[in-house]
Amino acid sequence: MKYKKNDFLIDNVEAKILAKKYSTPLYCYSLNKIKENIKNFKENFKSIDPLICFAVKANPNSNLLRQIGKLGLGADVVSIGELMKSLKSGISPNKIVFSGVGKTYEELNYAIKKNILLINTESKSEILQIEKIAKIKKKKVNIGIRLNPNTDANTLSQISTGKKENKFGVSEKIFLDIVKYVKKSKYLKLKCLSVHIGSQILDNAPYEKMLRVLKKIINKTKYRFEYIDLGGGMGIDYENKNKKLNLNKYSLNIKNFLKSFKSKIIFEPGRSIVGNSGFLISKVIYIKEGYKKDFIILDAAMNDLIRPALYNAQHRIIPVKKNNKKAKKIYEFVGPICESTDKFSILRNFQKLSEKDLILICDVGAYGMSLSSNYNLRPKATELLIQNNKVQVISKRQSLKDLI
Ligand SMILES: *Cc1c(COP(=O)(O)O)cnc(C)c1O
């Protein structure tokens, strides 16, 4: 993914040609980049040989899931829809973990029927519900318990999940109570302790603290967990400033931690597997003069990519074709939706843009399409998967007919 002369290429295909052929807004993913991310992840954690379960909510496209499954990953799912789609995409049930605070009777029933690796429970009520179903089915169900380690992930508050005020997991006290209860249950087999403290984590310290908390609590349970599921959250370099989580250091910390406990590690990465593989190509509809700036009105909007509106997240914006002319004004990149939060970025020193020019919004492979909507009755964009010159439509643009 680079410029050749002045044209941006995604896996050797010119972005401008893709835009022309498939129209915009257009999601493009590089399969080579996903492969590279998975290889890199595996290499960094080689010495602990973890089970890697891709967090499907980051990008649930079936074609991508199939590719990711083929590369040996399992799935971390948070709904019956994601579970069904993962199974349909060829991911084996014994590599699937089910997370989430509010799994319904129907969802649990289905997961138990499919014999997935683990249901990571998040409350005593959920455990009682599973026990009820297991009893009817005369089965022993493998479960994990998600601990809330009260650890600040030092990330955006909206994507922080491991602090005591968050709804996720159970406190140490409840965790210890539940362990006692499950040990005696005829229908539940306690296999796993799970945690997930948040997303887009760039700093090793929160993970180190989390491991210290886990160590203390596991020692109190005097229980041998077959699995320890450390969740996901590994951050990516959205700003392109080489600010990255040190995976190797995290791996060493875990290796150290495992000296005290003989457990298999599970990870649930989403963003770090697909985030930087995706681009959203968009066309400038109009340029409008504003107060001390120009509004660049794009044909992509918050319904296509909501992260900036939802969390104030920053995504780099780059031109599809470089022209080496500097803009005289500040540009504010916005979408056409009737919300003031429908804006992507305010940039100084962008190149001079004209109407109909194309731009790319970077690193949209995770939580881009998966969070998209039909707000303002806008159809969802086409998604392309690209590898070595080969372009495949993996999801077609919704037609207006679908919507109307
Ligand atoms: C969202 C989520 C993940 C994935 O988080 P990333 O930041 O995308 O790696 C993993 N586990 C659970 C339980 C989640 O909710």
Side-chain angles (χ1 to χ4, degrees):
M1 296 178 285
K2 51 171 192 254
Y3 287 95
K4 186 175 151 198
K5 286 195 185 145
N6 289 321
D7 286 300
F8 193 77
L9 307 181
I10 303 170
D11 268 7
N12 277 323
V13 185
E14 283 184 35
K16 131 182 123 192
I17 290 174
L18 296 171
K20 193 162 177 200
K21 177 150 184 207
Y22 298 98
S23 179
T24 52
L26 178 65
Y27 269 97
C28 305
Y29 310 109
S30 154
L31 185 56
N32 281 338
K33 193 74 192 175
I34 294 172
K35 287 185 172 170
E36 183 188 315
N37 291 338
I38 291 176
K39 188 163 162 252
N40 184 35
F41 196 98
K42 284 185 179 166
E43 258 162 29
N44 273 295
F45 292 108
K46 200 160 143 193
S47 67
I48 53 176
D49 187 29
L51 172 64
I52 308 169
C53 295
F54 174 64
V56 174
K57 74 177 191 282
N59 195 323
N61 183 284
S62 5
N63 203 300
L64 277 189
L65 287 182
R66 197 165 283 282
Q67 297 287 350
I68 288 170
K70 271 194 216 154
L71 294 165
L73 273 60
D76 165 44
V77 301
V78 291
S79 69
I80 190 169
E82 288 189 358
L83 174 52
M84 288 174 164
K85 209 164 180 184
S86 302
L87 290 169
K88 206 174 158 200
S89 305
I91 295 176
S92 150
N94 64 20
K95 285 185 180 173
I96 298 181
V97 299
F98 195 170
S99 311
V101 294
K103 305 177 203 77
T104 62
Y105 181 90
E106 186 202 9
E107 290 180 308
L108 292 169
N109 197 44
Y110 184 78
I112 292 168
K113 191 170 98 192
K114 291 294 173 184
N115 297 314
I116 63 169
L117 179 66
L118 285 170
I119 300 175
N120 282 334
T121 62
E122 304 211 19
S123 63
K124 181 77 181 275
S125 302
E126 185 185 0
I127 283 174
L128 296 177
Q129 179 81 291
I130 294 173
E131 208 175 22
K132 223 190 272 172
I133 301 170
K135 199 168 168 182
I136 297 169
K137 292 194 190 295
K138 299 196 176 63
K139 258 187 173 172
K140 195 149 186 166
V141 177
N142 295 335
I143 65 160
I145 310 170
R146 177 161 172 186
L147 173 77
N148 182 321
N150 192 21
T151 303
D152 191 340
N154 294 337
T155 181
L156 296 169
S157 66
Q158 300 96 324
I159 51 176
S160 214
T161 55
K163 290 193 278 184
K164 62 177 186 290
E165 59 269 33
N166 298 131
K167 69 179 174 183
F168 300 99
V170 296
S171 66
E172 171 180 341
K173 181 176 167 295
I174 297 174
F175 185 88
L176 296 173
D177 278 352
I178 295 181
V179 171
K180 265 192 222 148
Y181 178 84
V182 177
K183 271 188 199 165
K184 285 186 281 186
S185 170
K186 249 173 84 180
Y187 298 101
L188 302 173
K189 174 96 186 118
L190 179 57
K191 290 249 180 179
C192 176
L193 184 168
S194 83
V195 280
H196 172 71
I197 58 172
S199 203
Q200 185 50 18
I201 299 170
L202 290 169
D203 183 5
N204 285 75
Y207 284 125
E208 286 165 14
K209 178 167 175 224
M210 174 187 91
L211 290 173
R212 285 197 295 275
V213 173
L214 289 193
K215 185 168 175 180
K216 190 185 85 187
I217 293 175
I218 296 171
N219 281 331
K220 281 190 191 171
T221 63
K222 299 190 184 67
Y223 189 78
R224 189 190 158 259
F225 292 91
E226 187 177 336
Y227 297 99
I228 295 178
D229 179 343
L230 297 175
M234 298 80 175
I236 62 168
D237 189 16
Y238 283 108
E239 294 169 46
N240 205 17
K241 283 187 185 154
N242 232 354
K243 260 203 307 191
K244 264 191 266 183
L245 181 74
N246 187 337
L247 290 184
N248 199 260
K249 188 168 165 202
Y250 186 23
S251 176
L252 287 174
N253 293 144
I254 295 169
K255 192 143 174 115
N256 233 339
F257 167 86
L258 286 175
K259 282 183 189 152
S260 321
F261 315 103
K262 298 246 167 322
S263 302
K264 174 98 174 164
I265 294 291
I266 299 176
F267 285 121
E268 305 167 344
R271 191 187 310 274
S272 52
I273 301 298
V274 291
N276 63 1
S277 75
F279 294 89
L280 178 57
I281 308 181
S282 177
K283 189 190 265 180
V284 178
I285 306 175
Y286 297 120
I287 298 179
K288 168 162 125 169
E289 196 176 326
Y291 179 67
K292 292 187 178 170
K293 62 189 172 192
D294 277 349
F295 290 106
I296 305 297
I297 304 172
L298 300 173
D299 64 359
M302 66 191 279
N303 77 298
D304 301 298
L305 176 68
I306 203 177
R307 297 189 69 256
L310 193 61
Y311 326 122
N312 230 338
Q314 287 295 322
H315 285 265
R316 272 180 306 128
I317 297 180
I318 56 175
V320 163
K321 192 175 183 63
K322 280 190 191 166
N323 63 15
N324 301 311
K325 289 182 214 154
K326 269 228 162 87
K328 292 201 180 76
K329 283 207 186 162
I330 297 172
Y331 283 163
E332 179 165 335
F333 292 84
V334 302
I337 281 182
C338 306
E339 296 283 347
S340 288
T341 52
D342 183 26
K343 58 181 177 198
F344 294 110
S345 220
I346 298 177
L347 298 175
R348 281 161 211 280
N349 305 320
F350 202 80
Q351 78 172 32
K352 185 175 176 351
L353 285 173
S354 310
E355 293 178 354
K356 299 203 178 83
D357 278 356
L358 295 164
I359 58 98
L360 295 139
I361 306 179
C362 302
D363 304 317
V364 299
Y367 309 106
M369 193 62 172
S370 65
L371 275 164
S372 68
S373 75
N374 290 124
Y375 188 37
N376 278 207
L377 220 54
R378 291 164 50 87
K380 290 196 187 188
T382 300
E383 288 175 289
L384 304 178
L385 185 64
I386 305 164
Q387 187 183 31
N388 308 330
N389 285 323
K390 273 215 303 253
V391 178
Q392 191 185 354
V393 178
I394 57 170
S395 157
K396 269 207 231 157
R397 188 178 310 284
Q398 283 180 323
S399 70
L400 285 171
K401 221 170 103 200
D402 294 338
L403 296 180
I404 296 156

